[in-house]
Amino acid sequence: MKHVLSGIFAAALALSASAVQAQDKPPLKIGGILDMSSLYADITGPGSETAAKMAVEDFGGEVLGRKIQVLAADHQNKADLSANIARDMLDNQGVEMIYDVAASATALAAGEIAKARNKIIMFNGPGSIRLTNEACGPYTIHYVFDTYGQANVTGLAAVKSGLDTWYFLTADYAFGQDLEKDTSAVVTKTGGKVLGSVRHPLNTSDFSSFLLQAQASKAKVIGLANAGGDTVNAIKQAAEFGITKGGQKVSPLLAFVTDIDSIGLETAQGLLLAEAFYWDLNDDTRAFSKRFQERMKPPTSAQAGVYSSVTHYLKAVKAAGTTDAATVMKVMKETPINDFFAKNGKIREDGRMLHDMYLFEVKKPSESKGRWDDYKLLATVPGSEAFQSLEQSRCPLVKK
């Protein structure tokens, strides 16, 4: 009996020793730099933080004997603040990987900080093509969408359907400028014409003067090279001014299901838009979205991308047996991504995660079965056709 008890006691001691050892290991911290309170908060914000936490919970909460901690900070759409947060996370808080970084100017700023410190940064909310071109880095991943892909999927479909003259309302910062430039290139290459453009400040409440200029151009399409609250306000005000009744079509070049919900189907019906993900696409997307919606609204493509990218990162850390950025990136680039977000997704040498994109049309109110039933699928575009090719890349890492 003594021997049995001493054996149990020894086993208990060994268990408690390994538990203490695990506690001694510092947590693995991942940090989100998000818009928590302004025009992109619905697209990313608290929903992106929730998606990252869900990914960690589903992974088991720890890796390599280290607890995983999810941090989040509000960049308030200020590039300098985003850079400061990234610096603080990486230098002082021990963060190993940064996720999301909603908005392009803020992403470009944080990206430079991460690059200088050889740390992994995964972009889900920002769109600027510069992130995989001039601003690419060995530890940078652009996961969900970009201005080239959005322009290619939406612009191409519109021009092919006869909507061949365009005028742009453009948010006056990196993302808007790149989206206008990339869509203009698609329009002209496909035989259409760009009749002009007007720049508006970020987070504009009154679009009347910009919309009147667009209306006066008599362009068939008013292309909205903006996002979030700016897109919502522009579409609502275009309807109030009767612009769409006059025959002009408003095309949001980046819109999310949360935007369509804010606008309402009565006003948004018929809009063409490109998305990387939709909650009601298939059984896998519905299963994840149901769990997500128990905590939040249905996920946007950016939020779904956060879950997928954080999971991919944690799997790579486990497989690599280390958090060393170069080793983890090698595993991430070698491992295909197969989940509810992407089928046979692949991270290229320029950091672009290649996956299918989808062209949707917003349903009429009579076609919708209820709130959030907003899209009908028109086309699935393979990633190799939707995104910029490596031959066109301006990323210094791409060997040509």
Side-chain angles (χ1 to χ4, degrees):
M1 186 68 182
K2 263 187 185 175
H3 291 303
V4 174
L5 285 172
S6 62
I8 292 168
F9 186 63
L13 269 178
L15 275 173
S16 63
S18 66
V20 168
Q21 196 177 16
Q23 283 172 1
D24 285 344
K25 286 188 177 181
L28 169 59
K29 296 180 183 179
I30 61 172
I33 305 178
L34 310 166
D35 178 358
M36 297 297 251
S37 54
S38 189
L39 77 165
Y40 303 137
D42 270 356
I43 296 167
T44 65
S48 285
E49 183 183 7
T50 297
K53 286 180 174 174
M54 281 179 69
V56 168
E57 287 165 21
D58 291 349
F59 192 76
E62 59 178 62
V63 66
L64 308 181
R66 298 168 66 181
K67 292 282 183 195
I68 306 161
Q69 276 186 17
V70 176
L71 310 181
D74 188 354
H75 60 43
Q76 298 170 32
N77 287 307
K78 296 173 183 171
D80 56 344
L81 181 56
S82 179
N84 288 338
I85 291 168
R87 196 177 290 113
D88 182 54
M89 280 183 170
L90 299 176
D91 293 353
N92 304 322
Q93 297 189 52
V95 166
E96 294 284 353
M97 183 272 278
I98 291 174
Y99 68 88
D100 201 334
V101 203
S104 294
T106 44
L108 289 161
E112 289 305 310
I113 302 298
K115 203 190 301 183
R117 285 151 180 79
N118 296 327
K119 291 293 184 184
I120 294 171
I121 187 163
M122 304 179 79
F123 299 118
N124 304 98
S128 174
I129 188 67
R130 294 180 218 184
L131 294 165
T132 49
N133 275 333
E134 301 86 352
C136 76
Y139 308 113
T140 299
I141 298 172
H142 204 175
Y143 207 84
V144 177
F145 62 92
D146 62 31
T147 51
Y148 186 99
Q150 294 297 128
N152 215 15
V153 175
T154 314
L156 201 59
V159 177
K160 279 184 176 176
S161 70
L163 300 168
D164 55 4
T165 56
W166 287 62
Y167 188 96
F168 291 96
L169 257 66
T170 303
D172 196 10
Y173 79 114
F175 163 75
Q177 293 155 16
D178 285 350
L179 193 49
E180 179 190 330
K181 182 181 168 190
D182 289 335
T183 311
S184 296
V186 170
V187 168
T188 52
K189 185 180 164 188
T190 322
K193 282 184 184 172
V194 176
L195 304 184
S197 69
V198 62
R199 301 272 169 92
H200 69 78
L202 189 66
N203 219 356
T204 294
S205 56
D206 183 3
F207 279 89
S208 53
S209 65
F210 309 116
L211 285 165
L212 288 171
Q213 289 177 66
Q215 188 178 32
S217 75
K218 295 191 166 48
K220 291 179 186 174
V221 184
I222 300 171
L224 303 180
N226 52 23
D230 284 335
T231 300
V232 171
N233 286 337
I235 293 171
K236 281 181 175 177
Q237 288 171 37
E240 285 165 14
F241 295 151
I243 287 174
T244 45
K245 284 180 181 166
Q248 286 177 302
K249 200 165 181 72
V250 176
S251 177
L253 298 168
L254 179 64
F256 297 83
V257 71
T258 45
D259 300 326
I260 302 305
D261 186 65
S262 294
I263 295 160
L265 294 185
E266 192 60 50
T267 301
Q269 60 183 304
L271 291 177
L272 289 179
L273 48 90
E275 280 259 42
F277 167 89
Y278 176 48
W279 73 268
D280 200 19
L281 202 57
N282 55 50
D283 288 345
D284 291 342
T285 60
R286 282 188 284 273
F288 169 74
S289 301
K290 186 182 177 197
R291 292 198 303 124
F292 188 89
Q293 200 172 345
E294 286 166 5
R295 309 186 192 200
M296 306 284 299
K297 300 172 181 176
T300 63
S301 58
Q303 292 158 353
V306 167
Y307 180 98
S308 177
S309 60
V310 168
T311 302
H312 190 59
Y313 168 77
L314 293 174
K315 283 180 178 176
V317 168
K318 185 178 180 181
T322 177
T323 56
D324 172 69
T327 312
V328 173
M329 278 298 284
K330 187 171 184 294
V331 175
M332 288 172 81
K333 286 182 175 177
E334 287 172 352
T335 310
I337 297 151
N338 280 297
D339 59 13
F340 69 87
F341 182 81
K343 296 287 178 268
N344 295 312
K346 178 176 169 47
I347 299 167
R348 296 192 312 201
E349 58 205 91
D350 61 348
R352 159 48 49 203
M353 201 277 269
L354 218 56
H355 56 80
D356 291 347
M357 290 288 291
Y358 305 99
L359 179 69
F360 294 107
E361 183 180 324
V362 177
K363 289 182 173 181
K364 297 172 184 166
S366 59
E367 295 171 316
S368 174
K369 296 185 185 114
R371 190 179 180 191
W372 306 110
D373 178 24
D374 295 343
Y375 295 168
K376 52 186 174 188
L377 181 65
L378 298 185
T380 300
V381 184
S384 56
E385 293 175 26
F387 293 106
Q388 177 180 269
S389 69
L390 282 176
E391 289 71 37
Q392 295 170 287
S393 175
R394 301 185 295 281
C395 169
L397 301 172
V398 175
K399 298 173 186 69
K400 294 188 180 179

